[in-house]
Amino acid sequence: MARFQTVTGINRKRRAAAVIVLLELMKKRKRRWWVRPWIARRTSLGAYNALMAELMIEDPQQLREFLRMRHGDFQVILDMIEAEITRKDTVMRKAIPAKERLALTLRFLATGDSYESLAYLFRIPANTISGIVPVVCKAIYKALKDGIKFPRSAVEWEVVAEAYKKLWHFPHCIGALDGKHVVLKAPAKSGSYCFNYKGTHSIVLLALVDAKYRFMFVDIGCNGRVSDGGVFFGNSTFHGSKREGAVTS
């Protein structure tokens, strides 16, 4: 019995010693850095503050290519959503400005680059980007959705046709319709439901524009394996009596 008590006491001492050593190691262990140095230089070397600033002064056309819009249009959208996407500074770090959040999101929408790739370009961590993009997209949709005007009468359709005739010498045209595959990861247990002829998984964005490239109708969400005709005739709200609005998803 005495031997058992002695062994038990030794085990307790060993456990206590192990805990003490572990605590000491944790005290000595220091975080290498709070923010990676190359990310910390975002305000001077990131894409928004360096590359975009250069393009704005030296080559506005290439800035338009970078964002897929003119800087003036960028500013209009920023004014519309700035209050909604602005975040407050904290005692730990300064918030990423709204204009930088918008530029990052527009570049993502324009190129489809991965968050990891954009992280190096904008010097913003990928996990931070994953929180920025959905918020900014939602704000853009909320601000611009009412700007898509679908013709509601014969007179309005005639106005569209007249613009095509005047600007493009294309009579009797009431819109340009096309689809775009939005590539995505295959949803769980979806099999080949979204697999398209290009060899990727996608959903389809179907859009109708007028002679000045202005959207009149957008339908998003049909699975990518469906043909263009199938999307239009069988799945879009634009076809036949199913049409209810200009923007659907």
Side-chain angles (χ1 to χ4, degrees), residues 70-238:
R70 294 185 294 268
H71 183 260
D73 296 328
F74 173 86
Q75 191 60 49
V76 168
I77 296 177
L78 179 62
D79 292 341
M80 297 174 71
I81 68 173
E82 185 172 11
E84 189 162 347
I85 66 174
T86 296
R87 297 296 180 264
K88 295 182 179 179
D89 296 339
T90 69
V91 294
M92 304 300 293
R93 59 171 63 89
K94 290 186 177 181
I96 298 172
K99 55 188 178 182
E100 201 164 345
R101 291 170 180 265
L102 176 58
L104 166 66
T105 302
L106 291 176
R107 184 61 184 171
F108 169 75
L109 295 174
T111 64
D113 280 353
S114 67
Y115 290 164
E116 288 77 11
S117 175
L118 292 169
Y120 293 108
L121 178 63
F122 283 85
R123 297 181 184 246
I124 298 174
N127 61 327
T128 302
I129 293 176
S130 68
I132 291 175
V133 170
V135 171
V136 177
C137 285
K138 184 177 181 180
I140 293 174
Y141 171 77
K142 182 179 178 181
L144 300 181
K145 66 176 183 177
D146 293 333
I148 299 179
K149 301 298 183 181
F150 190 82
R152 297 294 181 180
S153 66
V155 173
E156 292 179 352
W157 282 115
E158 289 173 358
V159 171
V160 174
E162 184 61 28
Y164 267 102
K165 181 180 179 180
K166 181 178 180 180
L167 296 176
W168 299 104
H169 307 291
F170 203 147
H172 310 299
C173 177
I174 58 173
L177 182 71
D178 198 8
K180 166 69 177 178
H181 284 277
V182 181
V183 178
L184 44 71
K185 290 183 179 179
K189 301 179 181 180
S190 64
S192 61
Y193 182 72
C194 293
F195 193 75
N196 62 53
Y197 70 95
K198 296 183 177 182
T200 62
H201 295 270
S202 66
I203 58 174
V204 178
L205 182 156
L206 184 72
L208 181 74
V209 300
D210 66 12
K212 296 182 179 180
Y213 310 106
R214 295 176 299 194
F215 285 88
M216 297 187 292
F217 173 85
V218 177
D219 186 287
I220 309 170
C222 183
N223 54 307
R225 68 179 298 174
V226 179
S227 65
D228 289 347
V231 173
F232 175 65
F233 289 106
N235 294 277
S236 78
T237 55
F238 179 58

